[in-house]
Amino acid sequence: MISPIQVRDMTPRHLRNSCVNCSLRELCLPIGLSQDEMSELDKLITQARPIKRGEALYRAGEPFRSLYAVRLGFFKASVISEDGREQVTGFHMSGELLGMDAISTDVHTCDAIALEDSEVCELPFSDIEDLSRDVPLLQRHLHKVMSREIVRDHGVMLLLGNMKAEERLAAFLLNLSQRFAVRGYSSSSFHLRMTREEIGSYLGLKLETVSRTLSKFQDQGLIKVQNRLIELENIDSLKKLLNTCHDE
Amino acid sequence: MISPIQVRDMTPRHLRNSCVNCSLRELCLPIGLSQDEMSELDKLITQARPIKRGEALYRAGEPFRSLYAVRLGFFKASVISEDGREQVTGFHMSGELLGMDAISTDVHTCDAIALEDSEVCELPFSDIEDLSRDVPLLQRHLHKVMSREIVRDHGVMLLLGNMKAEERLAAFLLNLSQRFAVRGYSSSSFHLRMTREEIGSYLGLKLETVSRTLSKFQDQGLIKVQNRLIELENIDSLKKLLNTCHDE
DNA sequence: ACGATGAATTGATTTTAATCAAACCAGAGG
DNA sequence: CCTCTGGTTTGATTAAAATCAATTCATCGT
């Protein structure tokens, strides 16, 4: 049986061959399924579906049928307000689950757009529910994954409600860094898949502010920026930017 | 059997007597359980627990065992960042469910503080999971409730990321108004249970800005403010404040 | 290789909300 | 009834980020 640790340390390349593995990281990884349960799960998962850069995996308003596990690539999820303002609610990379917002109304409430050529596994939600009735570990894990999304959202609220531009950017870069690290990529050097405007939308800033703040970090020797390539040169100082208490 | 509409229209007073009813609105209301299933559910629910104004229902760091359905009263939920900044993540009133963030790690990540004398039903989560394996409608509904929380959080992100102070306040007041209405209270006249500072924390504003903005609304004849008593005098104009597109 | 296009940077200015500061008010307890 | 306290309002000033505007840069297709 595959232990959580083993899979967690696998490089993305290793994850490519099995669709079960792809969905494992977020949906059903740390749960120790039996062989039988694994193969049940396997049946559930349809062929991997490729999504080209710029394409939508789904859009707000479309009927909800499935969750999607990102197998490969990079997505942004965003909501559009009635008056047309976009708010990016998250960036999602391999192993993460998309579409949980849609369960509540059986209609997608976000757009999910691929920011690079990507692949997803489609997980029909009614199958997940059926299976999770028979496999308590899966049930438990589904709940954890949804809860984790709520916790993540609370973190973003804290960021948007309390932090200054510099802190937001620092938090953003450190978060990306950490997530790349988990996936076996460099934590200190990575390529941003999104525009400054999309970063700004996520962080509640205008694109000019994002650009300026990145430049400032560069001037301070914290990072190196070459267009979308970011190198973190002083992670500790970035972290200090976050922990420094400003008020009271 | 109780239809959703019936219960939805019940006044809070009617909801007092049965603990099942209290948790119905959010957790298991719109699902049409059989009598048997209802009584199963009933067993699960422990005695209502009173929480005095100012007391914590739970605090971040405490082990997670149960979700809580607010039976009566008013709560704020808030996260504290490492450096001590508070972000109110939500206000919760009767019929709403608290604690879903804790499922992910089995530890509470928020504080939940009563803003007036309140009562909650404790719903041991392992019981919910057990029961929801046998009662698909409950399973489905639990998923919907968690998903709704995610959608709600996305709405807050949109508010924090995109809106100006006036829009945030307008959205906040209209949201409260609507939620009071659903519970059979006046939608145009209500008492704020929270301080200006708590409103500000939720909306990503300082308390002075909240106060000033309320005063401005009053000057414009949109609302009347007498300390914590709010009267909405021109709901349409408040809504217009939201829908008006400012950029592009 | 070259122009076109979308993205990013940088500067100048304005707007917005935060901050600092000083009253003011309402309710609780003696 | 009065005082104390926490909460609120309001004003003056400052700080932060948005906005407006102009280049510059990078990529892609021809």
Side-chain angles (χ1 to χ4, degrees):
Chain A
M1 181 154 38
I2 300 170
S3 84
I5 302 303
Q6 258 178 281
V7 177
R8 190 164 273 254
D9 288 338
M10 278 178 166
T11 66
R13 190 167 304 279
H14 290 114
L15 292 171
R16 281 200 181 191
N17 294 321
S18 157
C19 211
V20 168
N21 278 341
C22 105
S23 63
L24 277 182
R25 193 194 299 275
E26 172 110 40
L27 180 59
C28 40
L29 168 59
I31 62 180
L33 295 180
S34 71
Q35 283 300 336
D36 274 5
E37 290 165 341
M38 287 284 252
S39 68
E40 271 307 305
L41 190 63
D42 212 10
K43 282 183 212 153
L44 173 163
I45 294 166
T46 62
Q47 201 58 24
R49 180 169 138 201
I51 312 281
K52 281 242 176 318
R53 176 191 153 108
E55 282 181 10
L57 172 57
Y58 53 76
R59 287 193 180 276
E62 291 177 9
F64 167 67
R65 261 182 282 280
S66 305
L67 299 179
Y68 296 92
V70 180
R71 216 157 110 74
L72 199 80
F74 206 93
F75 286 83
K76 73 165 173 179
S78 56
V79 294
I80 312 283
S81 70
E82 293 182 29
D83 56 331
R85 285 178 275 193
E86 178 187 43
Q87 172 72 31
V88 172
T89 55
F91 296 106
H92 300 276
M93 50 181 83
S94 65
E96 294 175 347
L97 220 53
L98 283 166
M100 288 179 287
D101 54 281
I103 297 166
S104 74
T105 57
D106 289 321
V107 170
H108 285 285
T109 63
C110 298
D111 292 356
I113 311 287
L115 297 183
E116 62 182 22
D117 293 352
S118 302
E119 283 179 26
V120 298
C121 288
E122 181 168 352
L123 310 167
F125 188 62
S126 59
D127 292 354
I128 294 180
E129 284 190 323
D130 290 347
L131 188 56
S132 79
R133 255 178 268 127
D134 299 328
V135 185
L137 285 169
L138 178 61
Q139 179 198 34
R140 160 55 53 113
H141 199 66
L142 173 63
H143 295 159
K144 282 187 186 280
V145 170
M146 294 189 70
S147 172
R148 195 181 310 149
E149 180 75 14
I150 293 170
V151 173
R152 194 187 66 80
D153 291 347
H154 288 174
V156 177
M157 287 185 210
L158 182 67
L159 180 142
L160 292 172
N162 270 293
M163 293 187 185
K164 298 207 193 315
E166 289 186 28
E167 300 175 289
R168 294 184 198 188
L169 242 319
F172 174 71
L173 293 174
L174 289 169
N175 174 267
L176 277 185
S177 159
Q178 187 262 319
R179 285 156 75 199
F180 282 127
V182 166
R183 285 161 180 75
Y185 295 109
S186 168
S187 66
S188 62
S189 173
F190 48 84
H191 180 79
L192 297 174
R193 273 74 172 178
M194 70 296 280
T195 67
R196 302 289 190 262
E197 187 168 23
E198 288 161 336
I199 297 172
S201 170
Y202 182 60
L203 298 179
L205 302 170
K206 292 294 164 189
L207 69 97
E208 294 96 328
T209 306
V210 172
S211 179
R212 271 185 245 277
T213 307
L214 288 175
S215 297
K216 186 190 248 183
F217 284 173
Q218 179 162 245
D219 293 346
Q220 296 170 342
L222 301 178
I223 66 175
K224 249 180 30 206
V225 188
Q226 294 167 251
N227 208 24
R228 299 207 182 170
L229 180 67
I230 299 285
E231 294 188 53
L232 306 188
E233 308 220 286
N234 193 338
I235 293 193
D236 287 346
S237 298
L238 277 176
K239 285 183 181 159
K240 235 174 276 165
L241 262 181
L242 281 183
N243 293 335
T244 307
C245 184
H246 298 278
D247 20 16
E248 33 265 283
Chain B
M1 180 150 44
I2 299 167
S3 84
I5 302 304
Q6 260 180 280
V7 176
R8 190 165 274 255
D9 288 339
M10 279 179 166
T11 66
R13 191 167 303 279
H14 290 115
L15 291 172
R16 283 200 180 190
N17 294 322
S18 157
C19 211
V20 168
N21 277 341
C22 102
S23 63
L24 277 182
R25 192 195 299 276
E26 171 110 41
L27 180 60
C28 37
L29 169 60
I31 61 181
L33 296 181
S34 71
Q35 283 301 334
D36 274 3
E37 289 165 340
M38 287 284 252
S39 68
E40 271 306 306
L41 189 63
D42 212 10
K43 283 184 211 152
L44 173 163
I45 293 166
T46 61
Q47 200 57 27
R49 181 170 136 199
I51 312 281
K52 280 241 176 323
R53 176 192 152 107
E55 280 180 11
L57 172 57
Y58 53 76
R59 288 194 179 275
E62 291 178 8
F64 167 67
R65 260 181 283 282
S66 305
L67 299 180
Y68 297 91
V70 180
R71 214 157 110 73
L72 198 82
F74 205 93
F75 286 83
K76 73 165 174 180
S78 57
V79 294
I80 312 283
S81 70
E82 293 183 29
D83 55 331
R85 285 179 275 192
E86 178 186 44
Q87 172 72 31
V88 171
T89 55
F91 296 107
H92 301 276
M93 49 181 83
S94 66
E96 294 175 345
L97 218 53
L98 283 167
M100 289 179 287
D101 54 281
I103 297 166
S104 74
T105 56
D106 288 321
V107 170
H108 285 286
T109 64
C110 298
D111 293 356
I113 311 287
L115 297 184
E116 62 183 23
D117 292 353
S118 301
E119 283 180 27
V120 298
C121 288
E122 182 168 351
L123 310 167
F125 188 62
S126 59
D127 292 354
I128 294 179
E129 284 190 324
D130 291 347
L131 188 55
S132 80
R133 255 177 269 129
D134 299 329
V135 185
L137 286 168
L138 178 60
Q139 179 198 33
R140 160 55 52 116
H141 198 65
L142 174 62
H143 295 159
K144 282 187 186 279
V145 170
M146 293 189 72
S147 172
R148 195 181 309 148
E149 179 77 14
I150 293 170
V151 173
R152 195 187 66 79
D153 291 348
H154 289 175
V156 176
M157 286 186 213
L158 181 68
L159 179 141
L160 292 172
N162 271 295
M163 294 186 184
K164 299 206 196 313
E166 289 185 27
E167 300 175 289
R168 294 183 199 188
L169 243 319
F172 175 71
L173 293 175
L174 289 169
N175 175 267
L176 277 185
S177 160
Q178 187 260 319
R179 285 157 74 198
F180 282 126
V182 166
R183 286 161 180 76
Y185 296 109
S186 168
S187 67
S188 62
S189 173
F190 47 85
H191 179 79
L192 298 175
R193 272 74 172 179
M194 69 296 281
T195 67
R196 304 289 190 260
E197 187 169 23
E198 286 162 338
I199 297 172
S201 170
Y202 182 59
L203 298 179
L205 302 169
K206 292 294 163 187
L207 70 96
E208 294 95 328
T209 305
V210 172
S211 179
R212 270 185 246 278
T213 307
L214 288 176
S215 298
K216 186 190 248 180
F217 283 173
Q218 179 163 245
D219 294 345
Q220 295 170 343
L222 300 178
I223 65 176
K224 261 207 340 234
V225 188
Q226 295 167 250
N227 207 25
R228 297 207 183 170
L229 180 68
I230 299 286
E231 294 188 54
L232 305 189
E233 308 219 287
N234 193 339
I235 293 194
D236 287 345
S237 297
L238 277 176
K239 285 183 181 158
K240 233 174 279 165
L241 262 182
L242 281 183
N243 293 335
T244 306
C245 185
H246 298 278
D247 20 16
E248 28 271 283

